[in-house]
Structure formats: C-alpha cells, structure tokens
C-alpha cells in the first residue's frame, strides 16, 4: 500500500487489519447467507440482521475508541463483533428454511458453484484491484492525501451501494423470469430498474453536492484535509448516476446468469483503469486518481450497457 516504515499510518494500519482479519469468516458467511435469502426472495431477514449488527457497531465504536481509548483497534473490534452478530442472526433464521446438511454430494452441484464462483471471484479481484491501487497511490502523496481520499472514497462507495437494493431486486426478478423463459417480464424489469437507477443517481448527486459542502467537518477539523476533501467532492457527487447504473447493470446481468461476460469485461475495464491510475496519478496527483476512478466506473457502466444494448449473450432474444 506504499506506506513507508517511518509513516505514522503504518502501525495503526497493521493493528486494524490484523484485528479485522478475525472477522473474515463471519463476513464471508454472512454474504453467502444473504445470497441464499435473496434467492428465496426474502430481503427482510438480511435487512433486519444488518440493521441490528450495524447498530451494535455504531454503539460499540465510541465505547472502544474513546472510552477504552483503543483508537483504530477499537474500531476494528467493534466491526468484528457486529459481523459475527449478523452471521449468528442469519444462521439462526436460515436453519428454519434450509437443510444445511445436504443428503448427497450430487445435490451440492459443486461443479456449477466452482465455475460461477471462480468467474465472480475474478470479477471481484479485478474491481478490488482498482480501488486498492487508488488507495495505494493516494498514500504515496502523504497522510493528508490519504486521509482526504479515504473520507471521499467511503462516501463515494456508501452512496453508490445504496443502489444495491435496486440491483438485488432486479437480479431476483430477472433470474426468476429467465428460469420461466418469460423474456417479456425480464425486459420490462431490466428497463424499469435502470430507469429507477438513473433517477436515484441524479438525486444522490444533488444531495452529496450540497450536503458535503457543509458536513465535511463531521469527519475532520484538519484544514489541509478539508481542502483536499473539497477537491474530491465534485467527483464524488457527479459520478453518482454513473456508479448507480454500473451497480444495477451488474445486478441485471447476474440475474441473466451472465457471469462469464461480467468477469471478463471487468478484467478489461480494470486493466484500462489501472493504466489510467498510474498515468493520471503521476501527472495530476490527487485529482488524477479521482479522474481515473470516474473512468473506471464509466467503463463498468458502458460494459453493462453494451451487453444488453447490443442484445448479446442471454439477451439475444432482444434482437427478435
């Protein structure tokens, strides 16, 4: 991550990541169980579990960070506890719906899971590589740049991921329509969720453009960090429609089981974006990193649009 040995970021980062790693099993387990609940079209249970877990995180954060004076380590511990709480709630509810012990190996469909799982893993690695590299490049410009970048990045991602609700709903309905070969319903659903996504993205853009001008001080009082945050705000706000469309296009294509295209297109998008990150970061610094990330999300949205817009793959019926 380009953190130097004499950097004040090194020790807190190592402590945080070490403690957060203890929550990895809970994170993966909860994500898998949320996928199961989506498959049976139960979106309430994951919502309730996540709200309870996040509420616990919000309560525990100030206690561990300030009362017990554990600082960054306290934030990590609070997060790990919340993740295990979410997993326990989901597991408790899932046992009522699903027989977790399959009666035979054939029923596990290991080959199918490995194929689709590996494709999605490739996609996640490619996408994560871009964001991770961006953080690494921001680190090279010093602690001020890194602090401002992390504040903007977390807001950028959190706002965009609000669209995940649309993406998940579209994915579940489209998957059901494809299974029944009801292509008219699949087309109508894809069209509607994309329309909602565009409107939602525009609303988010306006809210962030106005709100962040006044709420930046909630994150820091450092004048240098605040100045860089103000530089990142236009990128965070302006890219929201693109980000939301990119996430929803992902959900639509997942619903069509178009995992191969999703994986390989992301690898191509990530490769181009990584080249942009290196080039723009070296020539334009902090601003260049945000331009490259905006390019990354634009290419993601374009890749999703091309698949449906040209009627390729599972969307071939659109040509008829």
């Amino acid at each position: 991550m380009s953190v130097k040995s004499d950097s004040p970021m090194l020790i807190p980062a190592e402590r945080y990541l070490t403690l957060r790693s203890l929550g990895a099993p809970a994170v993966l387990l909860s994500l898998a169980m949320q996928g199961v609940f989506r498959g049976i079209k139960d979106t309430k249970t994951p919502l309730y579990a996540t709200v309870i877990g996040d509420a616990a995180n919000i309560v525990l954060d100030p206690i561990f960070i300030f009362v017990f004076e554990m600082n960054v380590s306290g934030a990590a511990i609070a997060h790990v506890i919340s993740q295990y709480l979410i997993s326990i709630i989901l597991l408790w509810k899932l046992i009522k719906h699903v027989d977790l012990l399959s009666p035979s190996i054939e029923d596990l469909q290991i080959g199918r899971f490995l194929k689709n799982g590996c494709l999605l893993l490739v996609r996640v690695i490619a996408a994560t590589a871009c964001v991770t590299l961006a953080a690494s490049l921001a680190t090279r410009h010093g602690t001020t740049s890194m602090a401002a970048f992390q504040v903007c990045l977390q807001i950028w991602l959190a706002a965009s991921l609000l669209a995940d609700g649309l993406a998940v709903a579209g994915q579940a309905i489209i998957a059901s329509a494809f299974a029944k070969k009801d292509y008219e319903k699949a087309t109508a659903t894809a069209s509607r969720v994309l329309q909602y996504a565009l409107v939602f993205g525009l609303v988010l853009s306006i809210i962030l453009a106005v709100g962040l001008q006044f709420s930046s001080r909630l994150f820091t009082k450092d004048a240098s960090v605040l100045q860089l945050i103000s530089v990142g705000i236009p990128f965070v706000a302006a890219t929201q429609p693109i980000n939301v469309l990119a996430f929803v296009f992902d959900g639509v294509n997942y619903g069509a089981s178009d995992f191969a295209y999703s994986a390989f297109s992301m690898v191509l998008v990530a490769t181009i974006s990584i080249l942009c990150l290196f080039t723009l970061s070296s020539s334009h610094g902090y601003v260049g990193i945000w331009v490259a990330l905006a390019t990354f999300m634009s290419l993601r949205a374009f890749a999703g649009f091309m698949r449906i817009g040209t009627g390729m793959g599972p969307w071939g019926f659109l040509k008829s």
Side-chain angles (χ1 to χ4, degrees), residues 58-74:
I58 292 171
V59 172
L60 292 174
D61 265 334
I63 294 174
F64 286 126
I65 296 172
F66 302 116
V67 177
F68 294 158
E69 297 183 349
M70 299 178 71
N71 301 317
V72 172
S73 297

Side-chain angles (χ1 to χ4, degrees), residues 122-134 149 153 156-157 160 235 239 242-247 250 262-277 280 288-304:
V122 168
R123 179 182 176 81
V124 171
I125 290 173
T128 305
C130 286
V131 179
T132 304
L133 176 61
F149 177 78
L153 181 68
W156 188 64
L157 291 176
S160 301
F235 293 100
T239 55
I242 299 171
N243 295 0
V244 173
L245 283 172
F247 281 109
D250 287 347
S262 296
F264 297 134
S265 64
M266 180 59 80
V267 170
L268 178 60
V269 166
T271 301
I272 297 172
S273 301
I274 286 171
L275 292 174
C276 289
L277 276 167
L280 295 174
I289 294 173
W290 278 108
V291 172
L293 285 177
T295 301
F296 168 60
M297 294 305 296
S298 298
L299 291 174
R300 280 183 64 175
F302 179 73

Side-chain angles (χ1 to χ4, degrees), residues 1 11 67 90 119 161 167 181 197 218 226 234 249 267 281 289 314:
M1 296 299 293
I11 294 177
V67 177
L90 289 174
L119 288 171
L161 284 171
K181 297 186 178 180
L218 294 174
L226 286 170
F249 270 123
V267 170
S281 173
I289 294 173

Side-chain angles (χ1 to χ4, degrees), residues 135-315:
S136 176
L137 293 173
T139 305
R140 298 180 188 184
H141 294 287
T143 54
T144 301
S145 175
M146 186 59 180
F149 177 78
Q150 279 302 313
V151 170
C152 290
L153 181 68
Q154 293 305 317
I155 296 171
W156 188 64
L157 291 176
S160 301
L161 284 171
L162 289 173
D164 205 34
L166 277 174
V168 169
Q171 178 183 344
I173 297 171
I174 290 171
S176 177
F178 266 93
K180 298 174 182 176
K181 297 186 178 180
D182 186 351
Y183 299 128
E184 183 176 345
K185 183 177 181 180
T187 304
T189 302
S191 176
R192 184 55 57 88
V193 295
L194 289 170
Q195 291 170 10
Y196 286 153
L198 181 58
V199 173
F200 185 54
L202 291 172
V203 172
L204 275 178
S205 183
I206 295 170
I207 292 173
L208 290 177
V210 176
L212 286 179
Q213 299 292 341
F214 304 99
S215 61
S216 298
R217 293 184 177 276
L218 294 174
F219 299 95
T220 180
K221 292 182 173 62
D222 188 289
S224 299
V225 176
L226 286 170
Q227 192 276 328
L228 272 184
I229 289 176
S230 68
V231 173
I233 288 174
F235 293 100
V236 173
T239 55
Q240 287 308 310
I242 299 171
N243 295 0
V244 173
L245 283 172
F247 281 109
V248 173
F249 270 123
D250 287 347
V252 169
N253 283 319
Y254 289 164
S257 297
D258 201 3
F259 301 116
Y261 176 80
S262 296
F264 297 134
S265 64
M266 180 59 80
V267 170
L268 178 60
V269 166
T271 301
I272 297 172
S273 301
I274 286 171
L275 292 174
C276 289
L277 276 167
F278 278 118
T279 303
L280 295 174
S281 173
S282 61
S283 60
H284 294 84
Y286 181 80
V287 173
I289 294 173
W290 278 108
V291 172
L293 285 177
T295 301
F296 168 60
M297 294 305 296
S298 298
L299 291 174
R300 280 183 64 175
F302 179 73
F305 171 77
M306 282 295 293
R307 190 64 162 176
I308 299 174
T310 57
M312 295 188 295
W315 301 98

